[in-house]
Amino acid sequence: MMRHKVASLQQHRNALYLSIFGIYLASVTLQTTTFNDMIPHRVGVLVELATLAALLGLVVCLDALTLTQIIGEVSLLVLVTVVTLTSGAHYLMPTVMLVIGARHVSFRQIIQVYLGVVGTILLVALVAAEAGLIKNITFTTADGLRQSFGVVYTTDFAAHIFYLCAAYLYLLARRFRPVALLPVIIGLGIIYQFTKTMTDVIALVALVGVYLLYIYRRQLRWLRPMLRYSFLMLPIASGAIIGLSNVFNYQDRLLVMLNNALSTRLALGNNALLAYGVKLFGQAPIPINGWGGDRADSFTNGVGTATYFFIDSSFLNMLISYGLLLTLVLIIGITWFLYQRTRQHDYLLPVIFAAIAISSMFDQHFLEVTYNVFILMLFADLPNYRTAVGPEFERPVVIQRGASY
């Protein structure tokens, strides 16, 4: 009887978490669309405060934590609070509370809520933008016409597509069929044709590549070491973009070529490092001038006078804006978590995170749950299975242990 009551309480606790997550996710996703013009700013603030209060109450009242877990979670909250007060990045608090609150919640259900909420909002925004009900921000570049389809920036629309595809492929891994790649290919075509966001094209191609390597690992024996060491991609990618930005100079022809290929991201990162440096707990909000969104026409028509400055890389932005300590905690902590997954022979999350790491080298959305829902994996209840990668090919690909997803 007692066991039944505990299971029932946990079920209600998880349902409450998913409801809180869905409401917050809807709020922050709407803010990435031009529906945002119709919604008062205070509504988003109230949803954020209510989310924090609800998650804090859920964790304090319903979670039975060990002393070690309490010390760890309180330490993380203190660090994030200090960084939030220093940098003004208020979204960090609900993000870390969503991570902590996801304890024992099915990660598959989290992904399903994410796909349902974000996918629906983006589809409605696209239809509304095409119907003229909201803004469909477009501007012309040397590559052609770029459209945002109801999202505030073309790059943000492309990032949404990338992360939706990652979530979709994660859910399909157990029963994958080649035809399931069709929506991803369509998404890739939309990004390439209508947003001209080549970094997201590269990231999505990388996602499909590593995912297929995971699916066909038996046939591609010589590539299996890439699966085993995929957990290292996060420190490799972050170290590469930070290191290249740090050493960039216009006298090095190779670096200049790479900088041009990356839309001057290395030069902008180098300017940011020189101008603001790296602090332990981050620093006051850094002024940026982006030329996308509503401001695109004025700048592309030569009317604007501000100098373009934007830190696109998530890793550089974390290091400069949120400080060295939080950046190290995140990179080392997530890498250790992914390493533990590989030790349990679960390579699906590490390979998907490898593509996310590549995307985050050039994209600023790594810590935003409306894009990267995979950061909630850290405390969530993950699928209880193992993936055979060794030479024992007479065994099934997936070895089920206990309850399924």
Side-chain angles (χ1 to χ4, degrees):
M1 180 66 70
M2 181 60 68
R3 183 179 299 177
H4 177 73
K5 288 183 178 180
V6 171
S8 178
L9 180 62
Q10 184 65 45
Q11 187 176 12
H12 284 89
R13 185 257 189 224
N14 293 350
L16 179 59
Y17 172 87
L18 292 171
S19 298
I20 296 169
F21 171 56
I23 293 170
Y24 176 75
L25 186 61
S27 174
V28 292
T29 303
L30 282 170
Q31 292 173 39
T32 70
T33 71
T34 53
F35 279 120
N36 192 39
D37 294 339
M38 306 176 184
I39 304 172
H41 175 69
R42 62 179 176 272
V43 173
V45 174
L46 289 173
V47 171
E48 185 173 289
L49 292 174
T51 299
L52 279 173
L55 288 171
L56 185 61
L58 184 148
V59 171
V60 171
C61 299
L62 298 179
D63 285 0
L65 303 177
T66 65
L67 180 60
T68 301
Q69 290 171 335
I70 292 173
I71 292 173
E73 291 184 9
V74 170
S75 300
L76 179 60
L77 282 173
V78 169
L79 173 60
V80 173
T81 300
V82 172
V83 171
T84 298
L85 293 174
T86 303
S87 66
H90 54 85
Y91 79 95
L92 290 176
M93 286 302 296
T95 299
V96 73
M97 283 306 304
L98 283 168
V99 172
I100 291 173
R103 185 182 300 276
H104 302 311
V105 180
S106 167
F107 188 58
R108 274 185 65 86
Q109 291 183 343
I110 291 174
I111 294 289
Q112 288 165 353
V113 170
Y114 167 82
L115 278 173
V117 172
V118 177
T120 299
I121 290 176
L122 286 184
L123 180 59
V124 171
L126 187 152
V127 173
E130 291 298 306
L133 300 177
I134 60 174
K135 294 178 184 177
N136 180 17
I137 299 168
T138 62
F139 55 99
T140 304
T141 67
D143 297 323
L145 186 69
R146 302 179 68 184
Q147 302 185 57
S148 68
F149 296 111
V151 177
V152 291
Y153 297 107
T154 55
T155 52
D156 288 349
F157 176 80
H160 272 306
I161 296 297
F162 168 79
Y163 282 106
L164 284 171
C165 288
Y168 165 77
L169 290 175
Y170 177 83
L171 291 180
L172 288 186
R174 282 292 303 277
R175 296 174 178 84
F176 175 79
R177 296 293 183 272
V179 71
L181 281 179
L182 184 59
V184 179
I185 294 172
I186 292 173
L188 180 61
I190 290 173
I191 292 175
Y192 178 80
Q193 182 64 33
F194 296 105
T195 73
K196 316 295 183 185
T197 312
M198 294 309 299
T199 51
D200 284 290
V201 169
I202 293 171
L204 196 47
V205 169
L207 172 64
V208 173
V210 295
Y211 186 78
L212 290 177
L213 169 61
Y214 168 80
I215 294 296
Y216 295 107
R217 55 198 172 275
R218 287 184 172 181
Q219 292 86 344
L220 304 172
R221 300 185 186 184
W222 59 281
L223 289 176
R224 283 204 303 269
M226 292 179 61
L227 290 178
R228 292 193 177 95
Y229 297 104
S230 56
F231 70 93
L232 291 173
M233 181 54 72
L234 190 58
I236 291 173
S238 57
I241 192 66
I242 292 171
L244 288 170
S245 299
N246 186 55
V247 302
F248 174 78
N249 67 83
Y250 283 100
Q251 282 68 49
D252 190 310
R253 185 176 300 178
L254 182 60
L255 287 175
V256 170
M257 291 175 58
L258 185 59
N259 180 60
N260 292 336
L262 298 177
S263 303
T264 72
R265 280 175 168 82
L266 297 185
L268 291 170
N270 182 261
N271 289 341
L273 287 169
L274 291 175
Y276 298 100
V278 177
K279 309 294 193 301
L280 187 62
F281 296 106
Q283 52 194 302
I286 297 173
I288 60 174
N289 292 307
W291 291 356
D294 288 330
R295 306 178 67 197
D297 288 338
S298 63
F299 287 104
T300 53
N301 292 333
V303 177
T305 58
T307 300
Y308 181 91
F309 178 76
F310 198 93
I311 307 175
D312 289 285
S313 170
S314 291
F315 304 127
L316 270 171
N317 188 51
M318 284 194 297
L319 182 64
I320 297 170
S321 299
Y322 309 149
L324 177 63
L325 185 55
L326 182 60
T327 301
L328 287 176
V329 168
L330 289 170
I331 299 300
I332 294 174
I334 294 174
T335 301
W336 177 255
F337 174 87
L338 295 174
Y339 168 66
Q340 294 300 320
R341 297 309 299 175
T342 62
R343 288 193 63 186
Q344 297 175 44
H345 305 286
D346 175 11
Y347 300 93
L348 179 57
L349 276 175
V351 298
I352 288 180
F353 233 87
I356 291 174
I358 293 172
S359 172
S360 299
M361 293 175 70
F362 319 111
D363 206 333
Q364 74 272 22
H365 300 302
F366 184 77
L367 293 178
E368 300 174 48
V369 293
T370 184
Y371 297 95
N372 185 13
V373 69
F374 287 90
I375 58 175
L376 302 184
M377 68 185 179
L378 298 173
F379 286 28
D381 186 21
L382 297 170
N384 208 7
Y385 66 89
R386 298 172 62 239
T387 305
V389 178
E392 300 86 355
F393 292 112
E394 69 277 5
R395 296 183 180 181
V397 175
V398 175
I399 304 171
Q400 186 69 32
R401 299 185 305 169
S404 64
Y405 292 72

